[in-house]
Structure formats: structure tokens, C-alpha cells
Amino acid sequence: MFERVTTSIMSFGNFTPEQVTTVLDRLKPVSVTKGDCLIREGQVCRTFYFVDRGAFRHYTVQENGEEATLNLFIKGEWLLEYKSFMVQQASENIIQAVTDSEVFSLSMWDFHDLVRLSEGYLRMGRILENAIRNQDFQHNRLSPEEKYEQLLLTRPELLQHFPLKHIASYLGMTPETLSRIRKKISS
């Protein structure tokens, strides 16, 4: 049950089996139905989540009513609404399950308790870095083709879990542009 999350925790540093167990004891399993939200607009994010099964989309609703995908998460990844978590203010964004999913939650209070037990747990703060590292597509200066090629190199599994309209939005392009690029690359 804790195989993937144990592997992820170990990737943050050389934790002893006892230290890993201490973290696992604080994790709470949560089932999320497709379409349900982990974070809603206006809610303050006070929890890290580890995706054990399923897929999530992190998005915002723009002034014109259109949705813009900020990030995509699949099994084996940690997620949170970074800005809301860091400043403890209401989120402007939404994190929604794209499929029926299972996550493990770790509250910020439990995380702080872990750090009080041992400063070694501060290494788990890399969860924050990992949760935002995949947003590079919106802010980089790559061409649409380069963005898609980078996605194929770094996160090709996203194509199996999300509709192309969400992939296109994540890459900062229209679905039509993504279709043209995919057709060009495949030929």
C-alpha cells in the first residue's frame, strides 16, 4: 500500500526505516472521485498530497471564463497549491481529479511536527520544488514544437492520462496547434 510513497520519501534523502515509518504513520489515505477537487478557488492549501493512483489537473479560471492548465500530476508525484500553501492565503486556482484517484495527505502541521523531531525531515521540503518544477512550459521561451518535444522527453506519460485540450493548455498553446505539431512529428 505504501510502496510508491516510500520510494518517493527515500528519494529525498537517506532516511532510516524508522524515519520512513514515522512519516507513513502521519499520512492519511484519501479517495477522490473523478471531478472532485482537492483544492478549490478561495480555499487555503494546508496539505501536501502524494498521488498513489489517478491523475489531477491544477488550473485557473481566467477573467474571460476560460480555464488555463498550470500543472498536471499523476501517480508517484506530490502536489499542492504552492502559492496558497506558502503564504497561507486563499487559492486563486483549483486542483481537480481527472480520474478516480487515491492520494495520501500530509498536513503542514504534521510536516512541522516531523521537522521538530529531526531536521533531517527538512529534506522533504523538496516536495515544494517538485510540485512546481513541472510548470516550466508556461514560462519558458521555447517554440510550441520544442515544448511538445520537451514534454515527450520529460513527461510522456501525461499523454496517457489527460485529454489533448488539457495537454495543449498546459503547454500554453491551442488544441489545434498541438494537433498540427503532433501530426508533423509523427510523419
Side-chain angles (χ1 to χ4, degrees):
M1 176 175 176
F2 292 111
E3 213 171 285
R4 268 190 284 275
V5 72
T6 298
T7 300
S8 180
I9 291 167
M10 292 300 291
S11 75
F12 296 127
N14 293 324
F15 292 105
T16 67
E18 294 79 19
Q19 288 173 315
V20 171
T21 299
T22 301
V23 176
L24 295 178
D25 288 345
R26 293 173 185 268
L27 294 178
K28 297 183 179 36
V30 179
S31 295
V32 187
T33 304
K34 178 181 178 177
D36 285 351
C37 295
L38 284 177
I39 300 292
R40 296 179 186 283
E41 188 175 3
Q43 178 183 351
V44 177
C45 180
R46 295 188 172 102
T47 307
F48 300 107
Y49 297 95
F50 179 82
V51 183
D52 193 49
R53 182 180 62 82
F56 291 85
R57 182 169 73 113
H58 182 196
Y59 67 97
T60 190
V61 178
Q62 300 173 325
E63 287 182 19
N64 63 6
E66 290 186 26
E67 296 176 355
T69 301
L70 305 172
N71 213 334
L72 301 168
F73 300 96
I74 57 173
K75 71 180 177 186
E77 296 181 332
W78 291 89
L79 64 89
L80 71 149
E81 206 316 290
Y82 181 80
K83 184 177 177 185
S84 174
F85 186 89
M86 293 304 291
V87 297
Q88 286 299 284
Q89 292 182 354
S91 174
E92 299 172 357
N93 306 316
I94 300 158
I95 298 178
Q96 183 179 44
V98 176
T99 63
D100 289 343
S101 302
E102 299 287 332
V103 299
F104 293 109
S105 67
L106 178 67
S107 74
M108 63 185 243
W109 297 282
D110 281 330
F111 177 72
H112 289 296
D113 284 343
L114 289 168
V115 171
R116 278 194 283 280
L117 290 173
S118 168
E119 287 189 18
Y121 289 112
L122 277 173
R123 291 178 289 202
M124 287 184 59
R126 287 181 41 211
I127 292 170
L128 299 171
E129 296 168 22
N130 291 341
I132 62 167
R133 80 177 138 76
N134 296 321
Q135 291 183 356
D136 292 342
F137 292 108
Q138 287 84 23
H139 304 294
N140 67 30
R141 296 174 190 250
L142 299 175
S143 72
E145 282 132 7
E146 291 168 328
K147 287 180 182 186
Y148 183 68
E149 287 171 353
Q150 184 179 357
L151 177 76
L152 291 176
L153 285 173
T154 59
R155 303 185 79 203
E157 62 279 358
L158 295 181
L159 295 168
Q160 301 166 17
H161 297 281
F162 297 94
L164 288 180
K165 69 178 183 176
H166 295 323
I167 299 286
S169 179
Y170 174 57
L171 295 174
M173 63 183 75
T174 65
E176 295 78 20
T177 298
L178 179 58
S179 290
R180 278 194 304 277
I181 291 168
R182 286 170 50 97
K183 184 176 182 180
K184 179 180 175 182
I185 288 176
S186 68
S187 59

